[in-house]
Amino acid sequence: MLQKYQHCLVSLIMAGGVVFCWLGYMYSTSLSPNEGPSKYDEELTWHPVVLSDRSQRKQAMLMEPVRTDVLTVTPWLAPIVWEGTFDPQVIDEAFRSYNLTIATTVFAVGKYTRFLHALLESAEKHFMTAIEEYIHQRANYIFCLDVDMIFHGRVGPEALGKLVAAIHPWFYWVPRSQYPYERRTISKAYIPQDHGDFYYQANIFGGAVEDVHRLTKTCREHLEMDKSAGVEAVWQEESHLNWYLWKNKPTKLLSPEYVWDDLRGQGAKEIKLVRFSSVIKNKAEVRENP
Ligand code: GAL
Ligand code: MN
């Protein structure tokens, strides 16, 4: 089954015109390897939270919001994950008993293979680490990562949800009319000036396997339709991802902590912790597109 999704993802990038070959990397992880075989459940995207007394020591105060400087929930009531909005210990405990399997795809294409080693090394330290590595036939969740990225801080089960996307680090303070959405009506990725919620970066997205499959299938179809019409969206698959997430709202949003850009440096005061970031690279040298 997962091969099907890999195929879709390969196609997604291919239609964007950058694939020559792929060195795929996929691993599955289990949050609780000691509890026997995983109970696979396609609908398992909501998990009742049961906590020990130890994890509940810190009281949440309704009149003392943990973040007052940033939006932590969308108008459609999806959480936006920022440092301070969750307790890592509580999250790890809440998810541990579900024995979840999380598939991860990373495509290293052409000259991008040079980034693979550092990404994987950093993933071992920071990505879903309350976890032992396990290879399962079926996954509950799937995450798709760009290869030219590094983990610097925790990216754990707080990032899990039915449909999850990350807010781009360069546009979150500007009006949506200035987002780099595709603006030509001829493209299937077209978003009008007065529409859209956030500008998402395609470097990390994920969710329940079925939801991500629906997303990649739609984007692939739209990329192919564009291609037949002789048009390529301004930011290729990222433009189609933004169109999809405009029409199908994500159930959880990752703040730019989860998709930072090293070019932005360390100065942003709303970013308390950079967790995952794009490495600085010579774009002219590695990219087909600008
Ligand atoms: C850049 C990023 C691109 C694309 C673009 C959108 O910072 O490198 O991948 O997301 O922003 O304007
Ligand atoms: Mn990239």
Side-chain angles (χ1 to χ4, degrees):
M1 182 172 80
L2 283 168
Q3 270 177 351
K4 192 164 78 184
Y5 302 119
Q6 287 175 7
H7 174 73
C8 290
L9 288 160
V10 171
S11 309
L12 185 72
I13 300 171
M14 233 152 110
V18 285
V19 162
F20 300 105
C21 63
W22 85 280
L23 295 178
Y25 173 79
M26 197 205 101
Y27 67 92
S28 299
T29 48
S30 163
L31 282 168
S32 184
N34 298 326
E35 290 179 14
S38 94
K39 297 183 286 302
Y40 180 75
D41 175 359
E42 286 192 317
E43 303 304 322
L44 187 66
T45 52
W46 183 78
H47 314 282
V49 175
V50 181
L51 294 173
S52 67
D53 290 346
R54 199 169 62 93
S55 303
Q56 293 177 70
R57 267 191 211 143
K58 201 165 163 210
Q59 186 188 353
M61 298 299 291
L62 197 62
M63 301 308 289
E64 293 171 20
V66 283
R67 293 293 299 253
T68 50
D69 56 337
V70 287
L71 191 71
T72 58
V73 66
T74 67
W76 58 94
L77 288 179
I80 306 175
V81 186
W82 293 91
E83 176 70 356
T85 58
F86 65 93
D87 181 332
Q89 201 189 320
V90 168
I91 291 289
D92 285 348
E93 188 179 328
F95 281 88
R96 191 163 287 129
S97 61
Y98 288 99
N99 197 25
L100 300 173
T101 300
I102 301 151
T104 308
T105 64
V106 178
F107 297 97
V109 171
K111 291 181 176 171
Y112 279 70
T113 52
R114 69 184 65 170
F115 299 113
L116 192 57
H117 183 72
L119 170 71
L120 297 184
E121 223 169 46
S122 69
E124 262 173 41
K125 284 194 212 120
H126 300 294
F127 186 52
M128 305 289 173
T129 53
I131 288 169
E132 265 181 50
E133 250 179 60
Y134 256 63
I135 303 296
H136 290 274
Q137 284 304 305
R138 313 189 84 181
N140 304 101
Y141 293 99
I142 184 163
F143 269 80
C144 309
L145 311 178
D146 254 27
V147 69
D148 50 334
M149 307 289 293
I150 296 274
F151 288 94
H152 305 276
R154 173 200 167 95
V155 176
E158 75 278 3
L160 298 178
K162 213 166 141 55
L163 186 59
V164 181
I167 298 169
H168 198 293
W170 283 104
F171 305 99
Y172 57 86
W173 58 91
V174 304
R176 60 188 170 185
S177 58
Q178 291 173 36
Y179 291 168
Y181 288 153
E182 174 55 58
R183 302 299 188 181
R184 292 166 300 170
T185 52
I186 189 183
S187 169
K188 290 294 291 176
Y190 167 65
I191 301 179
Q193 285 293 328
D194 53 349
H195 283 269
D197 308 295
F198 301 95
Y199 187 78
Y200 304 98
Q201 193 165 33
N203 299 18
I204 174 171
F205 62 92
V209 172
E210 296 302 320
D211 294 78
V212 175
H213 181 214
R214 206 172 301 128
L215 178 155
T216 53
K217 190 169 176 288
T218 307
C219 290
R220 177 190 167 181
E221 284 163 10
H222 288 184
L223 277 155
E224 280 170 1
M225 286 160 86
D226 271 13
K227 206 171 170 194
S228 327
V231 42
E232 184 184 79
V234 57
W235 285 104
Q236 302 86 35
E237 72 279 5
E238 186 170 281
S239 305
H240 291 277
L241 176 76
N242 272 278
W243 180 91
Y244 187 89
L245 296 170
W246 166 46
K247 295 287 185 184
N248 306 271
K249 307 295 187 207
T251 62
K252 187 174 274 183
L253 286 76
L254 304 177
S255 69
E257 293 167 8
Y258 288 80
V259 66
W260 198 240
D261 185 344
D262 288 352
L263 283 172
R264 275 211 62 192
Q266 302 284 322
K269 64 178 182 331
E270 64 280 10
I271 304 297
K272 314 278 184 218
L273 174 64
V274 172
R275 302 168 188 278
F276 189 47
S277 74
S278 303
V279 300
I280 295 173
K281 60 184 185 288
N282 181 346
K283 292 183 183 171
E285 208 240 322
V286 295
R287 274 189 188 176
E288 274 254 300
N289 286 302

